[in-house]
Amino acid sequence: MSDYDAIVVGSGAGGGVAAAVLAEAGKSVLLLERGRALSFEQVGRDHLRNQRLAIYGHNAGPDIEGNPRTLDPASFPIPVGEQQGAHRVLRPHEPGYQNNAACVGSGTRVYAGQAWRYMPQDFRMASEYGVPKGSSLADWPIRYEDLLPYYERVEWEIGVCGDHRSMTHLPAYDKPYPMPALPLPQKSSVHRRGLDALGWQSLRVPRLINSLPYNDRPACIHCQHCVGYACPVDAKNGSHNTTIPRALKSGNCTLRTEVMVERLMCSAGGAVAGVKIITADGLRERISADVVVLSCGAVETARLLLNSATAQEPGGIGNANDQVGRHLQGHYYPGAVGIFPEQMYDGVGPGCSLATCEFNHGNVGLIGGGMLTDEDIVTPITFWKRDYPPDVPRWGLAAKQFMRDNFRRINDIKGPVQEIPNPDARVQVNPAVRDRYGIPVAHLSGTSHPETVRSAAFMRERAIEWLRASGAVKVWGRKPQQYLSGGQHQAGTCRMGDDPAHSVVDRFCRVHSQSNLFVADGSPHVTNGGFNPVETIMALAWRTADTIVAKW
Amino acid sequence: MSALFDEKQLRCLEALLDTLIPPDDFPSAWEAGVGDYLLRQLQGDLADLQTSYGDFLRCLDAEAQHLHKRDFADLAVEARGDLLHRIEKHQLAASWTIEPGKFFQQIVEHCGEGYYSDPGNGGNREQIAWQMVGFEVRG
């Protein structure tokens, strides 16, 4: 008899949902998390070490020492990390690492919680656009309609605020959002002026935030530290305060933190038997289960499969056809910054107010496109580091007075671009470099497809157009370059498909070669939409867990 | 105040930071605590830059002596600014033991970090830089 019915590895967006659905169905669940449970105070408000600006570290893990990855130098336009042989060795806060938070809730502990459904076209990109040379663009094996009931469950059970009537780029909603959109900050009237002048769609950004008291937690207090930080009143809905508490409340779920899974254990006949873990004290344990769900994020899920080689699958579990780790993608985030004649900043958080999906599809000569929105409140140092205009002196009285006179008059428009996947953008493992547990680290190589860069350049132009139409007197922003993408929106490394030759998991996110091994994070995404992916990750995990329960 | 630098270097550091962010209606870098930020970082995240900082400060004084027969800290603010602009353009009079242009850019970054980040990092004393730009923390 197994130790648990199910083991879920990773407590982020997908893992939290999987644990809750399985535990509430009466299954005994072990939820494993490599990081710690972090209080609001532990996450803190360090403006130099957070999930938004990580110059010297992160506020939500992983620790900057003991968790390296390696990178092909050709994958990044500037030298990052430290050269070691043919590779760069990166720490988690360094560019190119593709970090996701390591704590209970993972990225959902500190995210902005933008809650987007993908569009119907996003599930059939190859059919809509054809397959460009050098890309692995493909349709998902499922459709928008397959995920729709789960999008609704996420919106109602985890808690999303928004205005469904403004989502005119999607099929009409059957159910509204359970909470109205957050109040608009002052700058939204300026941004709306631009959208109206251009005749572009204007919608309210849906958020996994309580705009009213919901699920026994209070409403947002409109603080200035939303994206990148923890919520001071617990009004931001992530795995740590929704799905994981639900799983624990069922009495069927055990949460263990600071536990690293070293590899999967296999039994004969195409099934996994459980996991081998290493605790923070360096103790090794074998834990058995009838079902294993991997929710480690697109980089770490691929790494774990590749580090779990067996006699039957010497290249790693699920990797008989050399698909695990390929098609790594995330989101290019093109945009621009503008200075306005009027004050844009009123301190009303989170800050992000309006968006347009005018350019997600239907752009002549482009494959897909992306959403554009104004951003959450930007801290002064983030502005100074990231958004400062390149032609203004960076020191001296002029620099200081530029900050004094303009910080409240500046705003940026940007958004995620649908990336065109390619098989060479990939995660492998590097046995020459080990993490603090002695496990081979993830090695990242390849770069983005040229079509992604083209779409990003186009969307940057649209951001500039919006800023100008809204009245910006000066606009600036970097042109997109080619580099390996992934980041917090990482996806694609365990592609979903019906044909095992070209995919890793089936349409219910079960690893083709294993009867009881599932993936519930961004890894199965065939393509990643032109939207923040978290609601799709949650919805897909819900569908996967529901399917597991239904057949069990 | 610091085991990292002698008194002469500290005077130079203060003058350097206050040239990067000079006083006006709002405090200078040093007055706002950027020195505290930097000295803390040089024993933490930036520990591997201790020697480079020491070298830079020594060479900066040497450069000022070469051009003006005074230490950098004893120059008027305009002269200090002119000298730093010359360094940015690699117009050097003294012999430098460190490549000054690139390192100067790093110092500019560190100074901004101390001034504009949260007071918990040692600078931006009493949120004075946030008051200056209008970033108010409510809640």
Side-chain angles (χ1 to χ4, degrees):
Chain A
M1 184 171 158
S2 301
D3 298 322
Y4 293 90
D5 291 331
I7 294 172
V8 178
V9 187
S11 71
V17 167
V21 173
L22 295 173
E24 288 182 346
K27 305 299 179 188
S28 65
V29 176
L30 175 64
L31 177 58
L32 298 174
E33 169 54 49
R34 64 181 167 149
R36 295 172 280 268
L38 297 176
S39 66
F40 170 75
E41 288 75 18
Q42 285 170 316
V43 174
R45 285 179 169 179
D46 187 331
H47 283 205
L48 300 175
R49 297 168 195 81
N50 59 75
Q51 205 69 10
R52 202 64 168 164
L53 187 69
I55 300 175
Y56 299 113
H58 282 114
N59 53 357
D63 296 339
I64 63 173
E65 302 302 337
N67 297 290
R69 285 177 185 162
T70 59
L71 177 72
D72 182 341
S75 297
F76 213 73
I78 54 166
V80 286
E82 199 174 301
Q83 189 79 30
Q84 216 174 86
H87 302 145
R88 311 290 303 186
V89 179
L90 303 175
R91 295 179 294 167
H93 65 298
E94 292 174 324
Y97 182 94
Q98 319 299 359
N99 187 50
N100 250 341
C103 62
V104 172
S106 187
T108 72
R109 185 76 184 94
V110 290
Y111 64 4
Q114 287 197 23
W116 297 95
R117 300 179 181 183
Y118 288 174
M119 293 166 67
Q121 302 94 306
D122 295 330
F123 296 88
R124 43 172 206 257
M125 287 295 290
S127 299
E128 293 275 332
Y129 295 98
V131 181
K133 195 166 167 250
S135 90
S136 48
L137 194 66
D139 292 354
W140 290 48
I142 62 172
R143 294 284 174 261
Y144 176 82
E145 293 71 26
D146 295 311
L147 273 191
L148 181 56
Y150 299 100
Y151 276 143
E152 288 176 349
R153 292 196 76 162
V154 171
E155 287 158 8
W156 279 81
E157 295 186 39
I158 298 180
V160 172
C161 70
D163 178 0
H164 70 287
R165 292 159 308 178
S166 72
M167 310 298 274
T168 53
H169 59 291
L170 288 169
Y173 278 45
D174 297 327
K175 279 175 95 169
Y177 293 114
M179 293 173 277
L182 291 162
L184 288 170
Q186 172 174 298
K187 63 174 176 162
S188 67
S189 59
V190 178
H191 290 315
R192 190 186 298 278
R193 190 167 70 209
L195 290 172
D196 289 349
L198 293 163
W200 294 357
Q201 177 210 28
S202 163
L203 64 86
R204 304 291 289 275
V205 176
R207 304 280 294 245
L208 284 140
I209 292 175
N210 290 351
S211 61
L212 302 170
Y214 195 71
N215 276 339
D216 298 324
R217 282 179 290 103
C220 169
I221 59 166
H222 314 298
C223 84
Q224 297 75 40
H225 291 83
C226 194
V227 59
Y229 300 91
C231 177
V233 297
D234 213 15
K236 188 155 70 176
N237 304 323
S239 299
H240 62 289
N241 61 2
T242 61
T243 48
I244 295 172
R246 271 177 63 167
L248 297 174
K249 196 178 166 199
S250 75
N252 297 324
C253 179
T254 305
L255 170 65
R256 285 185 67 178
T257 60
E258 295 185 83
V259 168
M260 189 69 184
V261 176
E262 184 178 19
R263 59 164 295 147
L264 302 171
M265 299 191 300
C266 282
S267 58
V272 292
V275 298
K276 279 173 77 173
I277 64 162
I278 308 177
T279 68
D281 302 324
L283 301 175
R284 284 184 156 75
E285 291 176 37
R286 291 162 172 270
I287 310 174
S288 61
D290 297 336
V291 163
V292 175
V293 181
L294 303 183
S295 305
C296 318
V299 175
E300 292 293 319
T301 287
R303 177 190 175 204
L304 179 52
L305 288 169
L306 295 171
N307 273 331
S308 301
T310 65
Q312 292 78 30
E313 293 184 289
I317 288 185
N319 198 32
N321 294 308
D322 189 26
Q323 287 295 303
V324 171
R326 292 189 181 275
H327 323 293
L328 175 65
Q329 57 201 293
H331 283 125
Y332 270 50
Y333 244 88
V337 193
I339 295 185
F340 291 83
E342 60 266 83
Q343 179 161 300
M344 299 295 280
Y345 180 100
D346 63 359
V348 175
C352 161
S353 60
L354 298 176
T356 188
C357 296
E358 196 74 27
F359 301 102
N360 279 78
H361 291 282
N363 303 305
V364 176
L366 288 180
I367 301 173
M371 173 271 289
L372 286 175
T373 180
D374 58 338
E375 206 190 352
D376 273 3
I377 288 176
V378 170
T379 63
I381 186 60
T382 297
F383 171 74
W384 195 81
K385 282 279 177 186
R386 196 192 62 190
D387 293 343
Y388 197 84
D391 59 344
V392 173
R394 204 149 172 78
W395 59 271
L397 210 51
K400 183 185 187 185
Q401 294 182 347
F402 178 85
M403 286 292 287
R404 183 193 68 192
D405 296 340
N406 294 294
F407 176 75
R408 290 170 79 107
R409 299 201 297 128
I410 283 163
N411 212 239
D412 63 337
I413 296 287
K414 59 182 179 179
V417 161
Q418 172 123 259
E419 296 190 358
I420 306 308
N422 77 83
D424 298 327
R426 67 188 297 197
V427 180
Q428 294 168 285
V429 288
N430 186 347
V433 179
R434 308 283 173 132
D435 67 10
R436 57 178 288 224
Y437 301 98
I439 306 169
V441 305
H443 174 67
L444 309 170
S445 59
T447 190
S448 54
H449 192 276
E451 287 296 333
T452 299
V453 186
R454 257 163 41 84
S455 293
F458 173 81
M459 292 310 298
R460 174 179 168 275
E461 292 298 325
R462 301 291 74 71
I464 290 169
E465 204 176 345
W466 181 1
L467 287 164
R468 291 231 164 93
S470 301
V473 292
K474 173 178 169 159
V475 175
W476 66 94
R478 287 188 206 98
K479 287 187 179 168
Q481 291 177 280
Q482 197 170 26
Y483 58 87
L484 180 65
S485 180
Q488 293 159 15
H489 294 184
Q490 57 189 255
T493 56
C494 298
R495 172 174 278 204
M496 193 197 300
D498 292 331
D499 178 1
H502 298 108
S503 59
V504 177
V505 300
D506 70 10
R507 57 175 58 210
F508 297 107
C509 296
R510 180 182 59 82
V511 174
H512 286 300
S513 63
Q514 308 291 323
S515 62
N516 61 347
L517 178 61
F518 297 83
V519 178
D521 55 24
S523 311
H525 293 193
V526 179
T527 49
N528 209 23
F531 298 98
N532 307 55
V534 75
E535 187 174 330
T536 299
I537 291 172
M538 289 172 167
L540 190 60
W542 214 307
R543 179 174 177 273
T544 299
D546 251 11
T547 311
I548 296 172
V549 169
K551 292 180 177 174
W552 194 355
Chain B
M1 163 167 198
S2 162
L4 293 177
F5 302 128
D6 60 30
E7 208 152 303
K8 191 167 180 304
Q9 286 172 317
L10 271 182
R11 273 187 80 228
C12 186
L13 180 64
E14 177 179 343
L16 171 60
L17 296 177
D18 281 357
T19 312
L20 302 183
I21 303 183
D24 53 6
D25 297 343
F26 288 89
S28 69
W30 195 265
E31 290 162 350
V34 175
D36 295 339
Y37 165 76
L38 195 56
L39 294 173
R40 190 197 287 188
Q41 280 289 74
L42 286 172
Q43 305 189 59
D45 296 316
L46 301 176
D48 59 349
L49 296 183
Q50 281 179 13
T51 311
S52 301
Y53 257 96
D55 287 353
F56 186 93
L57 296 171
R58 205 181 52 249
C59 293
L60 186 58
D61 265 343
E63 186 77 20
Q65 283 289 348
H66 219 94
L67 290 172
H68 302 290
K69 310 244 175 305
R70 288 180 190 184
D71 282 349
F72 182 75
D74 293 326
L75 301 180
V77 67
E78 292 79 13
R80 296 199 309 245
D82 289 346
L83 199 156
L84 294 178
H85 281 302
R86 287 169 57 93
I87 287 174
E88 280 186 313
K89 293 178 203 150
H90 296 265
Q91 296 168 352
L92 308 173
S95 77
W96 283 68
T97 57
I98 175 173
E99 202 283 288
K102 272 197 178 144
F103 195 71
F104 176 68
Q105 283 177 16
Q106 281 188 280
I107 297 173
V108 171
E109 293 303 308
H110 299 155
C111 184
E113 289 162 15
Y115 200 77
Y116 293 114
S117 74
D118 59 296
N121 272 296
N124 186 17
R125 200 168 281 158
E126 291 163 16
Q127 304 187 358
I128 191 68
W130 293 352
Q131 289 173 39
M132 177 182 88
V133 303
F135 175 74
E136 297 154 359
V137 178
R138 311 187 298 254

